[in-house]
Amino acid sequence: MNEEYDVIVLGTGLTECILSGIMSVKGKKVLHMDRNSYYGAESASITPLEDLYKRFNIPGTPPESMGKGRDWNVDLIPKFLMANGQLVRMLLITQVTRYLDFKVIEGSFVYKKGSIYKVPSTEAEALASSLMGLFEKRRFRKFLVFVANFDQNDPKTLEGVDPTKTTMREVYKKFDLGQDVIDFTGHALALYRTDDYLDHPCLDTINRIKLYSESLARYGKSPYLYPLYGLGELPQGFARLSAIYGGTYMLNKPIEEIVMENGKIVGVKSEGEIARCKQLICDPSYVMDHVTKVGQVIRVICIMNHPIKNTSDANSCQIIIPQNQVNRKHDIYVCMISYAHNVAAQGKYVAIVSTTVETSDPEKEIKPALDLLEPVEQKFVSISDQYKPTDLGRESQIFISRSYDATTHFETTCDDIKDIYKRMTGTDFDFAEMERKKNDVFGDDQ
Ligand SMILES: *[C@@H]1O[C@H](CO)[C@@H](O)[C@H](O)[C@H]1NC(C)=O
């Protein structure tokens, strides 16, 4: 261990494993350690089920009805991949896809006045949806056509909208869309967590709706993908990539000290030995004096023996409860997967409810979501602090990821990765750099 590395990475969360993969592919000498005995850190999938009971201090062992503990791989952070999103692009370009199998999530739903509806995102679906009245449908259809044709560089497609000046509120007004339609467009298609976007320039929102529609167009049922055996497979896939390019992995390594000299990282001490490095990447838990708390997220894992009502018995789905519908500032999300994804015993379903905490009684906040899931066999409640770095690494050369937020996709995680990359290297992240060449000497790891 008494060696000199370009980069040391602490914590095997997805963000850290992707960055470790990127740096290794770029030819950096990487050492990656985790204090835990498993991969994934906060973004791990827990197996067997007994470990989940222990982790949440549920007394006793899982009842016989839960089947074999080894059949379970329960995610701590619920997220799906957007089929046309940045993470899928990273997976494809690095060929990490060869270690994973994906399934399409069967449905995407939105909550309105106590009931759930399929999210319409194509013209045909909009016209068939019971979510809107007839005239509203026509106006929404017009809006979708406008978004689909919208090209920032082609004035003919803009219909008088200035992508960088016109606000989204003004765009909705232009198409005369009502509050319910605005709610599901902003929250179930553009996937915003709050309503702040309404007064921002419309370009970002339009691009988000395009991402949703293009992702949906890939596989049809929903824009989301999910890996068999759980999200914990993702960090492990990127860890393998890093290892193929010479990265060294060590689990179960207690970290005793982040060693600095003149305000700059020089190494990491573990089990009495110091490994030296020029740069450090880590999650907030390793450098609590370089981060600040920005809020809390509540997540409730629910095990059920039935699909969710009114979802056509989908074996996987997402439900978004827009904040306006339940008088909140942040949306509530439900991600559900099941035995069909090798994450639960036969006949079992795992729904994870999550949202940003707004009050001192967070369990009460998520009640509208829990009501959709009843009866629930077992609940596992967690409330986690959210951190962001106060130190951006310019002097210290310590690069810290943000805690996983309440969004149910990986786009913000990918933005964080690109941001850290830019701070570390001074250049923008270019997907092409990660491309693995066919004749790469390390390329064949089969
Ligand atoms: C489910 O569908 C029934 C019949 O359409 C409806 O009355 C009920 O409100 C729906 N419940 C939810 C939670 O969507």
Side-chain angles (χ1 to χ4, degrees):
M1 190 152 142
N2 282 315
E3 273 188 72
E4 169 112 26
Y5 295 88
D6 293 313
V7 183
I8 292 181
V9 188
L10 301 180
T12 50
L14 180 61
T15 309
E16 286 70 30
C17 287
I18 292 181
L19 282 163
S20 154
I22 294 173
M23 291 302 160
S24 300
V25 171
K26 278 179 71 77
K28 301 282 185 197
K29 190 173 173 188
V30 176
L31 170 64
H32 200 148
M33 296 187 279
D34 194 312
R35 65 167 85 85
N36 298 310
S37 59
Y38 52 86
Y39 280 93
E42 292 295 299
S43 62
S45 303
I46 303 299
T47 186
L49 189 60
E50 288 77 4
D51 282 10
L52 190 69
Y53 274 63
K54 268 189 227 135
R55 194 182 176 97
F56 284 84
N57 298 317
I58 308 275
T61 49
E64 204 124 300
S65 64
M66 295 288 183
K68 281 206 293 288
R70 285 267 159 224
D71 288 344
W72 296 81
N73 290 286
V74 182
D75 302 329
L76 296 176
I77 307 277
K79 281 187 190 291
F80 293 148
L81 291 81
M82 301 287 292
N84 227 17
Q86 304 183 78
L87 182 53
V88 168
R89 231 175 125 194
M90 285 186 197
L91 284 161
L92 287 170
I93 222 158
T94 54
Q95 297 174 28
V96 170
T97 39
R98 68 168 72 162
Y99 316 129
L100 303 162
D101 262 321
F102 288 92
K103 272 197 170 171
V104 181
I105 295 298
E106 291 197 336
S108 170
F109 298 86
V110 64
Y111 179 99
K112 182 189 144 192
K113 301 193 168 78
S115 298
I116 60 173
Y117 298 85
K118 197 166 184 317
V119 177
S121 76
T122 61
E123 293 171 53
E125 278 190 350
L127 288 175
S129 174
S130 56
L131 192 54
M132 294 167 276
L134 186 62
F135 296 108
E136 187 92 74
K137 275 179 194 169
R138 291 203 187 143
R139 295 193 290 266
F140 182 59
R141 183 174 163 273
K142 265 192 175 164
F143 169 76
L144 284 178
V145 172
F146 163 74
V147 168
N149 293 332
F150 194 95
D151 175 357
Q152 195 185 354
N153 303 315
D154 180 357
K156 282 197 300 293
T157 68
L158 304 183
E159 297 186 23
V161 169
D162 181 339
T164 56
K165 289 217 177 71
T166 313
T167 65
M168 202 55 209
R169 196 187 292 281
E170 288 162 340
V171 174
Y172 288 141
K173 196 146 181 257
K174 173 180 161 70
F175 288 91
D176 201 14
L177 301 180
Q179 190 56 51
D180 286 342
V181 177
I182 292 176
D183 276 352
F184 80 71
T185 302
H187 296 263
L189 299 182
L191 301 171
Y192 284 109
R193 280 167 287 173
T194 70
D195 264 351
D196 297 348
Y197 77 98
L198 283 171
D199 296 307
H200 297 170
C202 62
L203 181 62
D204 189 37
T205 308
I206 289 175
N207 282 336
R208 281 165 170 247
I209 300 171
K210 274 180 188 282
L211 171 63
Y212 189 99
S213 310
E214 285 161 13
S215 293
L216 183 74
R218 281 257 176 132
Y219 304 103
K221 289 176 179 168
S222 86
Y224 305 111
L225 301 178
Y226 184 83
L228 294 185
Y229 300 100
L231 296 176
E233 295 295 298
L234 293 168
Q236 287 189 69
F238 284 99
R240 276 179 80 169
L241 172 73
S242 172
I244 290 162
Y245 282 84
T248 304
Y249 271 79
M250 296 180 179
L251 297 180
N252 243 331
K253 290 291 278 183
I255 303 302
E256 284 127 31
E257 194 187 336
I258 307 292
V259 188
M260 316 274 293
E261 268 169 28
N262 303 320
K264 185 175 179 300
I265 182 81
V266 291
V268 171
K269 187 171 170 190
S270 171
E271 298 177 301
E273 286 180 273
I274 293 177
R276 298 183 69 82
C277 65
K278 301 189 186 91
Q279 292 183 308
L280 179 74
I281 301 171
C282 60
D283 71 47
S285 70
Y286 289 90
V287 285
M288 292 304 286
D289 49 343
H290 296 255
V291 298
T292 183
K293 185 175 156 182
V294 288
Q296 288 187 311
V297 174
I298 177 169
R299 300 187 174 96
V300 183
I301 301 168
C302 301
I303 295 180
M304 304 158 348
N305 62 5
H306 58 85
I308 300 175
K309 276 183 228 91
N310 295 10
T311 60
S312 315
D313 289 348
N315 64 32
S316 57
C317 67
Q318 180 185 72
I319 304 170
I320 294 179
I321 306 183
Q323 36 126 12
N324 247 330
Q325 294 289 327
V326 284
N327 288 318
R328 292 173 50 77
K329 293 198 190 67
H330 298 86
D331 295 352
I332 305 174
Y333 301 104
V334 179
C335 284
M336 193 205 68
I337 45 189
S338 65
Y339 60 94
H341 310 86
N342 306 356
V343 298
Q346 189 61 34
K348 299 291 184 187
Y349 298 76
V350 180
I352 310 186
V353 177
S354 61
T355 190
T356 306
V357 171
E358 295 178 5
T359 70
S360 54
D361 190 359
E363 282 197 59
K364 192 167 158 215
E365 293 181 44
I366 47 127
K367 186 163 183 306
L370 289 182
D371 288 346
L372 300 174
L373 307 179
E374 293 297 342
V376 172
E377 288 188 294
Q378 181 68 54
K379 273 194 293 188
F380 306 85
V381 181
S382 71
I383 294 167
S384 354
D385 290 340
Q386 301 289 293
Y387 297 101
K388 69 165 198 193
T390 44
D391 172 4
L392 295 181
R394 188 184 293 263
E395 258 97 60
S396 66
Q397 293 297 299
I398 297 176
F399 301 93
I400 308 156
S401 59
R402 291 162 166 269
S403 306
Y404 298 96
D405 59 29
T407 58
T408 55
H409 53 74
F410 286 106
E411 297 307 300
T412 49
T413 307
C414 290
D415 291 342
D416 192 28
I417 290 166
K418 292 197 300 190
D419 184 48
I420 292 176
Y421 179 91
K422 181 157 192 192
R423 284 190 271 127
M424 286 182 73
T425 63
T427 53
D428 282 321
F429 177 70
D430 178 0
F431 283 93
E433 268 187 66
M434 284 182 77
E435 189 152 18
R436 286 170 68 181
K437 308 284 181 305
K438 273 231 172 63
N439 298 325
D440 199 316
V441 282
F442 300 113
D444 189 7
D445 58 315
Q446 296 297 300

